[in-house]
Amino acid sequence: MSNKNKTIHEFDFNFICEYFSRLERQGPGSPEATLKALGFIDNLTGQSCIADLGCGTGGQTRTLAAHVQGSVTGLDLFPDFIRIFNRQATQSGLQDRVEGIVGSMDKLPFAEEELDLIWSEGAIYNIGFERGLNEWRKFLKPGGYLAISESSWFTAERPEEIHRFWMDMYPEIDTIPNKIAQIQRAGYVPVASFILPESCWTEHYYAPQVPVQEMFLHQYPGNEAAAELVASLRHEEELYRRYKEFYGYVFYIAKKMEQ
């Protein structure tokens, strides 16, 4: 297997964490997309409890917290991300309502029906879309909301190269209608879905990586793992630019059924 065809999951977690901790965002998205998704959610008050699962360093969490009342808990597996998360929350003056904790998506530290909103941008794939939908549901209050962005196919068929890439990286990728059907089967009412614009990838995700990649390679000269990680990410960007009409991230907003 050539280095450019390695998936991100095959690299050392410490390298991945160090690389992505230098970025504002750990996946495609934008403040505008976060706020557009938030616009479909109408039940939030000063007493609301919100969780951002797979929060990374919290770029989207701070956007969320600046536009809602209530408390926001960010959860991520990587302690370094959470250290950055809490430092930046303090710098933004949000520390009274926003806290980052180290934890795993498959063992959430919340009580049943504690949360008014579960947020997760580009992270549910870590445990799988359907599994996340089903396991997280019990933590939502009846009528509580789920807002997640997830990689999805835009077309029923696609070129073999990009199909193979995604089958290696995330076989649970599926078309938008199939994702919505999964949401319904898991006991939610689909509220809205929208495709993240191209700028969420190019301007907000890939462009900031260019200087980080140069610094990373300079910091680890001759390190094969560092070179392979950067090569893999550059290959991923190249594939996106060639095949972006076939796939992307989709924001799905759903509401837990009252019964």
Side-chain angles (χ1 to χ4, degrees):
M1 179 182 285
S2 67
N3 57 14
K4 75 174 184 178
N5 290 326
K6 265 192 175 184
T7 70
I8 192 74
H9 309 295
E10 296 174 73
F11 291 99
D12 182 274
F13 274 142
N14 292 322
F15 256 150
I16 294 171
C17 183
E18 182 179 350
Y19 178 91
F20 281 101
S21 68
R22 305 180 188 195
L23 295 164
E24 173 75 9
R25 302 194 64 90
Q26 285 73 49
S30 69
E32 293 78 16
T34 295
L35 293 178
K36 182 175 180 178
L38 183 61
F40 293 102
I41 295 159
D42 60 11
N43 67 333
L44 301 177
T45 70
Q47 284 69 51
S48 294
C49 294
I50 301 162
D52 183 1
L53 307 181
C55 61
T57 59
Q60 74 290 332
T61 325
R62 291 189 298 281
T63 299
L64 194 62
H67 291 84
V68 299
Q69 299 175 301
S71 62
V72 185
T73 302
L75 179 140
D76 202 278
L77 199 57
F78 295 118
D80 285 349
F81 285 174
I82 293 300
R83 276 194 286 273
I84 296 168
F85 179 107
N86 284 322
R87 183 179 72 234
Q88 293 184 342
T90 299
Q91 290 170 350
S92 301
L94 296 168
Q95 69 275 12
D96 292 341
R97 294 192 299 113
V98 178
E99 180 189 15
I101 60 173
V102 178
S104 176
M105 289 180 177
D106 59 5
K107 192 180 286 188
L108 297 181
F110 307 108
E112 290 193 13
E113 299 190 354
E114 177 182 351
L115 301 173
D116 297 275
L117 170 62
I118 291 177
W119 200 270
S120 186
E121 294 197 26
I124 194 173
Y125 78 89
N126 284 293
I127 65 168
F129 187 74
E130 282 199 281
R131 181 183 173 194
L133 292 174
N134 285 289
E135 292 189 6
W136 296 352
R137 186 178 176 277
K138 67 185 177 189
F139 299 103
L140 282 173
K141 296 173 184 174
Y145 281 85
L146 180 76
I148 48 181
S149 63
E150 162 82 340
S151 50
S152 304
W153 294 124
F154 298 158
T155 59
E157 297 181 356
R158 72 285 314 182
E160 175 63 23
E161 182 181 22
I162 194 62
H163 180 81
R164 192 168 59 245
F165 172 82
W166 275 101
M167 288 302 101
D168 287 343
M169 188 160 78
Y170 182 48
E172 223 183 313
I173 187 173
D174 211 331
T175 60
I176 296 170
N178 286 345
K179 292 287 183 183
I180 292 172
Q182 290 168 352
I183 288 169
Q184 288 182 299
R185 283 199 300 271
Y188 303 86
V189 177
V191 172
S193 62
F194 62 90
I195 294 170
L196 269 63
E198 185 180 334
S199 60
C200 287
W201 293 76
T202 54
E203 179 185 340
H204 293 278
Y205 183 54
Y206 288 132
Q209 290 190 51
V210 174
V212 169
Q213 288 170 357
E214 294 304 322
M215 287 189 295
F216 200 70
L217 293 174
H218 182 74
Q219 184 176 343
Y220 296 104
N223 185 301
E224 185 178 354
E228 284 192 350
L229 176 60
V230 170
S232 171
L233 291 163
R234 287 174 173 171
H235 179 60
E236 179 189 307
E237 179 180 1
E238 175 194 341
L239 288 176
Y240 177 74
R241 293 186 185 280
R242 280 162 48 199
Y243 297 115
K244 59 194 173 188
E245 67 266 37
F246 296 99
Y247 73 96
Y249 269 117
V250 176
F251 236 119
Y252 298 95
I253 299 93
K255 189 173 186 178
K256 179 179 176 177
M257 295 180 69
E258 299 285 351
Q259 299 298 323

